[in-house]
Amino acid sequence: MKPIIIAGPCVIESAELLATVADRIVEINAQLGTDIIFKASFDKANRTSIHSYRGPGLEKGLAMLSEVKEKYGLRILTDIHESWQAAPVGEVADVIQIPAFLCRQTDLLVAAAKTGKTINIKKAQFLSGRDMRYPVEKALDAGASEVWLTERGNTFGYNNLVVDFRNIPDMREITEHVIMDCTHSVQRPGAGNGTTGGDRRFVPAMALAAKAFGANGYFFEVHPDPDRGLSDGPNMLRLDDLKDLIKQLL
């Protein structure tokens, strides 16, 4: 079984950025026989600072993602932060993602599940892998057809994350598909003077270590020039490095 691969910019910055990344993903799919799911957020509702860029918003963002889907034939993943967003997002996205900070929000999980779309739940930075059976139960009880779980590290404060890779086999006991978020796991939350820092050097190692522990999916935020990205730049993978890393994982 081929792994699930999710890739795209952290946030929708422009139609040009989406096109650049989508073009490359289509190229990689053709060369490697993969089926990469395109990811971008229409709203980053959990930025560190009130002054940080959040995105174009729901209506404009969904229109831009819909255009990517139609033009490039890519499946779409995007995240929601409030229950009322689930229904309109479900009209466009193939996979609805629940942010880590919100993975215990019952109404959010239920609303996402009722769309009939695949639900990807990110493990909270404050929960163990075994704890994730409860969010999965909520989504399945509400009628979700398929639920994925994503590991992205744990936080103890002090501007850093720690990844306990034992969470991956623990979550494989809960659901079939467990994804490693290889870029958010190298974040340094709040360490960038009002923004989140990070260190993209460790992204390939995170991916390969996760594979050794049984992950069957990989999540990469990518950007042609991460240092100029409007969100999560320090931990985003350079778009030019995506293909070679995927080849290693395959």
Side-chain angles (χ1 to χ4, degrees):
M1 182 176 65
K2 291 183 179 179
I4 296 165
I5 302 175
I6 301 160
C10 177
V11 67
I12 299 172
E13 298 179 15
S14 66
E16 292 75 20
L17 173 64
L18 297 187
T20 297
V21 176
D23 274 328
R24 185 64 58 86
I25 287 176
V26 168
E27 179 183 296
I28 294 171
N29 282 339
Q31 293 174 347
L32 301 183
T34 48
D35 182 19
I36 300 170
I37 301 169
F38 185 93
K39 181 270 171 186
S41 297
F42 57 83
D43 179 22
K44 301 299 294 184
N46 55 356
R47 295 302 305 273
T48 302
S49 170
I50 189 67
H51 303 295
S52 296
Y53 177 75
R54 288 182 53 166
L58 179 72
E59 185 174 350
K60 185 176 179 181
L62 287 182
M64 296 168 79
L65 290 173
S66 181
E67 185 174 343
V68 169
K69 185 174 187 175
E70 293 172 12
K71 182 176 180 180
Y72 297 95
L74 295 170
R75 290 187 290 162
I76 299 293
L77 176 148
T78 195
D79 41 357
I80 61 173
H81 291 84
E82 299 185 58
S83 301
W84 63 267
Q85 296 173 338
V89 168
E91 295 295 318
V92 174
D94 301 276
V95 183
I96 296 178
Q97 184 165 278
I98 305 298
F101 286 126
L102 302 178
C103 75
R104 289 178 56 164
Q105 297 298 107
T106 302
D107 290 344
L108 189 66
L109 290 162
V110 169
K114 287 182 176 178
T115 65
K117 302 296 183 176
T118 297
I119 310 302
N120 182 37
I121 308 174
K122 286 197 169 184
K123 181 184 72 62
Q125 298 92 327
F126 48 83
L127 294 178
S128 73
R130 293 183 186 276
D131 289 330
M132 292 306 292
R133 69 186 178 99
Y134 302 108
V136 171
E137 285 176 358
K138 290 177 182 181
L140 292 176
D141 188 69
S145 57
E146 186 170 25
V147 181
W148 304 345
L149 289 175
T150 295
E151 166 64 30
R152 51 100 71 244
N154 285 78
T155 185
F156 300 93
Y158 312 107
N159 308 121
N160 213 342
L161 292 170
V162 175
V163 177
D164 182 347
F165 288 97
R166 295 173 298 180
N167 283 323
I168 293 171
D170 284 347
M171 291 192 291
R172 286 289 306 265
E173 295 181 6
I174 300 167
T175 191
E176 180 181 359
H177 299 294
V178 174
I179 296 159
M180 182 67 204
D181 185 338
C182 307
T183 46
H184 285 100
S185 60
V186 301
Q187 283 181 332
R188 296 186 184 275
N193 191 28
T195 62
T196 288
D199 194 337
R200 70 178 67 91
R201 291 179 302 159
F202 299 113
V203 170
M206 287 289 184
L208 293 166
K211 181 178 180 179
F213 276 84
N216 51 16
Y218 307 93
F219 179 110
F220 303 104
E221 288 192 331
V222 297
H223 195 286
D225 187 0
D227 291 330
R228 298 183 67 181
L230 299 182
S231 176
D232 278 0
N235 55 266
M236 278 197 284
L237 186 69
R238 296 186 190 280
L239 183 58
D240 286 343
D241 295 334
L242 179 63
K243 178 183 172 183
D244 286 345
L245 181 50
I246 291 174
K247 285 174 69 175
Q248 288 186 64
L249 292 169
L250 295 177

